[in-house]
Amino acid sequence: QDFLGSWVPYLSSAVWALAFVTYLDRPFLDFARRSLLYAGALMDGRQHHGGDPVDAVLAESSSSWATATPHVVLELADRIVVGKPTGWEVDDENSSKSAGRGLLTAWLGSSCPTRVHPILLDRACHNGALHRLDLPSSGLLLAAKTYE
């Protein structure tokens, strides 16, 4: 996994740079996509079987934004959309629950099995959170469940 972690950012940066200068060709893009999917599958600790990784399962959500706990809005095989109520922190390494706030990554870890989704325990990858919402804000949060 250390080896994968060392070259994956470089390949991602190369794809971005080539796309930025409009020099990204289809064969390289296909190679990069296959390589990153394979690396993600290995980092997740499972074999890569190809195919579309998105196996959509809509989760019913009768919760309102005013509820005291987050709720699943949409769950796919590789990502999850969470309704974040106000007062819940999209935490980082400097966060602490002692301030009386709920930590969203702790809630994610209890809602999704971390042995199947190790990214939820990986601080270097922000525990799967792909962006942040301010503490007083409510809204949708997108989180990765896999490294793919």
Side-chain angles (χ1 to χ4, degrees):
Q1 198 167 5
D2 290 337
F3 169 74
L4 293 172
S6 67
W7 66 264
V8 166
Y10 294 115
L11 182 57
S12 299
S13 296
V15 169
W16 179 88
L18 290 170
F20 182 75
V21 297
T22 64
Y23 193 69
L24 184 63
D25 63 358
R26 175 52 79 188
F28 182 76
L29 182 60
D30 289 342
F31 163 77
R33 182 179 184 278
R34 283 191 314 273
S35 298
L36 292 171
L37 284 172
Y38 180 73
L42 290 176
M43 291 173 79
D44 284 333
R46 57 186 166 76
Q47 295 296 318
H48 180 64
H49 300 299
D52 190 350
V54 178
D55 183 16
V57 178
L58 274 172
E60 294 199 19
S61 174
S62 58
S63 303
S64 71
W65 292 109
T67 60
T69 59
H71 59 278
V72 175
V73 175
L74 174 70
E75 186 167 3
L76 304 173
D78 61 345
R79 65 203 131 196
I80 187 170
V81 178
V82 175
K84 179 196 127 7
T86 58
W88 280 78
E89 184 176 4
V90 182
D91 49 308
D92 58 21
E93 61 276 354
N94 299 320
S95 301
S96 73
K97 195 169 180 163
S98 62
R101 302 184 285 264
L103 298 179
L104 201 62
T105 59
W107 181 87
L108 271 172
S110 67
S111 299
C112 299
T114 54
R115 68 176 163 66
V116 178
H117 306 292
I119 194 170
L120 298 176
L121 298 173
D122 191 344
R123 283 278 191 200
C125 292
H126 309 287
N127 298 82
L130 299 175
H131 61 92
R132 297 178 52 87
L133 291 173
D134 290 338
L135 186 67
S137 300
S138 64
L140 297 177
L141 178 85
L142 180 62
K145 290 171 41 180
T146 71
Y147 288 97
E148 289 182 58

